[in-house]
Amino acid sequence: EPEVTQTPSHQVTQMGQEVILRCVPISNHLYFYWYRQILGQKVEFLVSFYNNEISEKSEIFDDQFSVERPDGSNFTLKIRSTKLEDSAMYFCASSEGQGGTYGYTFGSGTRLTVV
Amino acid sequence: GDSVTQMEGPVTLSEEAFLTINCTYTATGYPSLFWYVQYPGEGLQLLLKATKADDKGSNKGFEATYRKETTSFHLEKGSVQVSDSAVYFCALKRSNYQLIWGAGTKLIIKP
């Protein structure tokens, strides 16, 4: 069964450093997403991406965050200057259509720890 | 705003017991509803979904019915197994792209 692959599985970074979280969505999917889950809290939507541009973003997704599809397979989330409160599990997802009909396929997540 | 409320866990049951995990929602209109499952060390997997009122989603022995009148989407299974131990998330699709999530319910099944 096709999978969404995320790397690394765990990243530790110092406050103020830039991090890039990587995702390889399912090859025939057209919509891509990032969610995060701070420990003990709900999963939160960050951003969706379609046709090489952001289609929707949440209030969390401020200027410190950016997304990119640098080639035909990868989808990345960059945090420019990490803060302690960015520590969370970050999930990438993709969908063939707009999610509601086809559902979303999630990766296993990247645990980001900011120290 | 839109929200999803799930019963708090952990829920601990013996093998072959009947399972219900409650989920209620608040939303404008009639959003699509989902149950996702997260096994230890793994990602979020779609378990089942329903896109309109009275739809029943089912998968792997789990069922949930979209009840508009009670704004609920309770997850049920007739006979649980140890392998069902996981965290279960109820979610609604708020827009073309965004899911709103419940807090998750940890399920522990004892042999």
Side-chain angles (χ1 to χ4, degrees), chain A residues 3 6 10 14 29 31 37 41-42 59 80 82-84 86 91 98-99 103 105 107:
Chain A
E3 290 183 344
Q6 289 186 245
H10 191 187
Q14 290 206 327
H29 284 188
Y31 297 80
Q37 185 181 28
Q41 298 186 23
K42 291 185 177 184
E59 293 174 353
R80 285 191 234 299
T82 50
K83 303 187 280 283
L84 294 176
D86 293 328
F91 293 104
Q98 283 182 3
T105 303

Side-chain angles (χ1 to χ4, degrees), chain B residues 3-104:
Chain B
S3 66
V4 175
T5 302
Q6 286 181 239
M7 64 190 291
E8 281 191 32
V11 173
T12 303
L13 295 172
S14 298
E15 208 165 17
E16 299 184 4
F18 184 87
L19 168 71
T20 300
I21 299 178
N22 289 338
C23 170
T24 57
Y25 67 90
T26 304
T28 53
Y30 304 107
S32 296
L33 300 172
F34 303 82
W35 276 101
Y36 278 83
V37 58
Q38 186 177 30
Y39 298 103
E42 298 186 18
L44 298 159
Q45 300 176 23
L46 177 64
L47 182 59
L48 53 84
K49 64 181 173 73
T51 56
K52 61 183 188 297
D54 299 326
D55 266 3
K56 179 186 281 188
S58 60
N59 186 26
K60 299 180 182 178
F62 290 89
E63 292 183 342
T65 302
Y66 189 158
R67 301 281 188 205
K68 183 180 67 174
E69 62 277 11
T70 54
T71 61
S72 65
F73 192 54
H74 303 323
L75 182 68
E76 296 181 335
K77 187 175 185 182
S79 176
V80 292
Q81 306 300 313
V82 172
S83 57
D84 294 326
S85 298
V87 181
Y88 291 81
F89 293 89
C90 184
L92 68 83
K93 185 165 171 279
R94 175 163 131 177
S95 65
N96 285 338
Y97 308 102
Q98 186 178 159
L99 288 175
I100 303 296
W101 298 79

Side-chain angles (χ1 to χ4, degrees), chain A residues 6 8-13 19 21 34-44 46 60 65 77 79 82-91 108-115:
Chain A
Q6 289 186 245
S9 57
H10 191 187
Q11 170 119 28
V12 181
T13 188
V19 293
L21 309 183
W34 285 100
Y35 285 80
R36 78 172 185 190
Q37 185 181 28
I38 295 171
L39 189 64
Q41 298 186 23
K42 291 185 177 184
V43 178
E44 302 171 293
L46 293 178
I60 302 166
F65 292 89
L77 174 69
I79 309 175
T82 50
K83 303 187 280 283
L84 294 176
E85 53 264 37
D86 293 328
S87 296
M89 180 73 90
Y90 287 80
F91 293 104
S108 299
T110 294
R111 181 168 296 285
L112 177 65
T113 303
V114 182
V115 296

